[in-house]
Amino acid sequence: MRPVLSLLLVTTLWTLPQLSNATEITNLTVSQTPKASYLTLDGTIEAAKAATVSAQTSGRIVRLNFDVNDLVPAGASLLEITSIEQGAELAAAEASYARTKALDVEAQQTLTRYQALFPQGAISKGAMDQAIANAKSTQQAASAALAQVTKARENLKYTIVAAPYAGVMTARHVEEGETVTVGQPLLSGYATDKMRVVMQVPQQYRQALIDAKTVQVSLADGREFNIDNAQIFGFSDNQTHAYKVRLPLPDNTPTLLPGSWVKARFVIGQRPQLHIPSSALYSVNELTGVYLKVGDRYVLQQVRIGASQHGEVEVLAGLQNGDVIASNAYHVLLQHQH
């Protein structure tokens, strides 16, 4: 049994004056057709690259160059740590290397001379063996001293903390003048060039997602993306028993903010559906209906609608196969039916 239309609405409709330039009403016969059924889930945007930079040397912070929410270029100096101690260590390592290198050069030259004199019997076997051992020892000592120089030089570089990639700084864990130690967190941030959507898919729809291959992602600002390389985790959450899914978004997509909610949907099967053009709907306050043709007149029939896409809307209740409706509800309002 169809819902009874309010008499006030019908009376209002038929008392509208006829407009001379009214558009002719066209009819549409509705019918159910098998169409794809979608599962729509909530997801959030997150950065594919996010990190917390930690101290690799100890010292006091003398300068902070960026603050929270600042856009940081790749390789930019984030903060600086006192470098007096590290500089002194580098100078000492370089001096030690210079001394051991000089000893090594002398030992190698002595060995070369002994090798020329030994066949002539001018050098004893013991002296020759001592020269060989001394040359190897000084060579190894020079290599060890050079390693210490490299270590001291890197330790000095650690006093300037650089951004690993371009992005936005999200947290500052230290203040200027604070003394830090090795491993202490300093700053956090994320890269803006790579974003992804993360969502939880119920266990019973995991295979449907694999079969669908494509996920439609809709942002709050109306932008839509078709993602065909969804990354489905091979294990479920212990509490929800849902599978985590990552949907990589196109690189360098502008104005994507981590934490923003999005809608993601994918095909889970087919079912008979009834779709009509969005233009056939008439909405006023909380009433949504269509103009159903009954005989030679049109009656406002209330309907319950579902999702809309590409200019069409699904009708969940209020219409059935074979019903004839006006394809444009507002054309009915522009004409007086007798």
Side-chain angles (χ1 to χ4, degrees):
M1 182 175 180
R2 300 189 180 282
V4 179
L5 188 64
S6 170
L7 180 62
L8 177 60
L9 289 173
V10 176
T11 304
T12 304
L13 173 62
W14 300 149
T15 56
L16 286 173
Q18 183 176 2
L19 301 179
S20 58
N21 59 347
T23 305
E24 182 180 356
I25 301 174
T26 57
N27 296 325
L28 171 68
T29 301
V30 299
S31 61
Q32 286 186 336
T33 56
K35 291 193 175 183
S37 179
Y38 288 86
L39 174 66
T40 302
L41 300 172
D42 290 325
T44 56
I45 296 176
E46 73 172 18
K49 293 191 298 183
T52 296
V53 179
S54 300
Q56 294 179 275
T57 186
S58 59
R60 182 173 54 84
I61 297 176
V62 294
R63 180 178 299 174
L64 282 168
N65 298 322
F66 294 94
D67 204 346
V68 174
N69 205 41
D70 285 347
L71 185 62
V72 181
S77 173
L78 298 173
L79 58 80
E80 297 178 20
I81 301 173
T82 52
S83 59
I84 297 177
E85 181 180 352
Q86 291 81 358
E89 290 177 354
L90 176 59
E94 289 176 339
S96 177
Y97 172 67
R99 181 175 60 84
T100 54
K101 184 63 177 177
L103 294 175
D104 179 49
V105 171
E106 180 184 2
Q108 300 304 324
Q109 291 175 349
T110 300
L111 177 61
T112 301
R113 291 194 302 269
Y114 278 21
Q115 286 174 339
L117 296 173
F118 180 72
Q120 303 174 10
I123 300 297
S124 66
K125 183 67 169 61
M128 186 62 191
D129 292 342
Q130 180 65 33
I132 294 174
N134 190 38
K136 290 182 178 179
S137 176
T138 56
Q139 186 178 28
Q140 295 299 321
S143 298
L146 180 60
Q148 291 299 318
V149 171
T150 303
K151 179 180 178 182
R153 186 175 290 120
E154 289 298 312
N155 201 31
L156 180 62
K157 289 182 180 179
Y158 294 155
T159 60
I160 298 179
V161 179
Y165 41 71
V168 176
M169 197 162 78
T170 58
R172 189 178 70 186
H173 308 290
V174 292
E175 298 292 339
E176 187 172 326
E178 185 176 343
T179 300
V180 297
T181 57
V182 176
Q184 182 174 343
L186 302 176
L187 305 168
S188 298
Y190 67 89
T192 56
D193 60 337
K194 291 183 179 293
M195 294 288 177
R196 63 192 176 202
V197 173
V198 178
M199 65 177 183
Q200 300 286 336
V201 175
Q203 182 175 348
Q204 63 268 32
Y205 296 112
R206 184 178 186 272
Q207 187 59 45
L209 175 58
I210 296 175
D211 296 337
K213 298 181 180 179
T214 300
V215 181
Q216 299 177 2
V217 175
S218 301
L219 306 185
D221 57 10
R223 287 181 290 173
E224 294 185 350
F225 302 94
N226 291 325
I227 310 300
D228 56 7
N229 55 342
Q231 302 170 359
I232 308 173
F233 281 32
F235 53 90
S236 63
D237 184 88
N238 291 332
Q239 295 181 345
T240 64
H241 301 288
Y243 287 86
K244 187 176 182 178
V245 178
R246 289 175 175 172
L247 306 173
L249 294 174
D251 292 349
N252 298 311
T253 303
T255 62
L256 291 180
L257 300 177
S260 301
W261 287 99
V262 301
K263 293 292 185 180
R265 70 173 198 162
F266 56 91
V267 177
I268 59 174
Q270 285 194 337
R271 62 180 176 84
Q273 299 180 35
L274 194 154
H275 287 256
I276 62 173
S278 299
S279 59
L281 293 177
Y282 174 72
S283 299
V284 55
N285 296 329
E286 296 184 1
L287 172 68
T288 300
V290 297
Y291 282 101
L292 178 69
K293 189 172 184 182
V294 180
D296 59 351
R297 63 193 184 95
Y298 292 93
V299 176
L300 185 61
Q301 171 67 29
Q302 186 175 6
V303 294
R304 183 162 62 92
I305 62 174
S308 60
Q309 189 178 23
H310 306 306
E312 289 191 344
V313 61
E314 181 184 3
V315 177
L316 303 177
L319 292 177
Q320 58 187 13
N321 278 329
D323 285 345
V324 179
I325 63 173
S327 61
N328 194 314
Y330 289 93
H331 287 174
V332 179
L333 294 176
L334 296 177
Q335 292 196 13
H336 183 87
Q337 301 294 325
H338 298 283

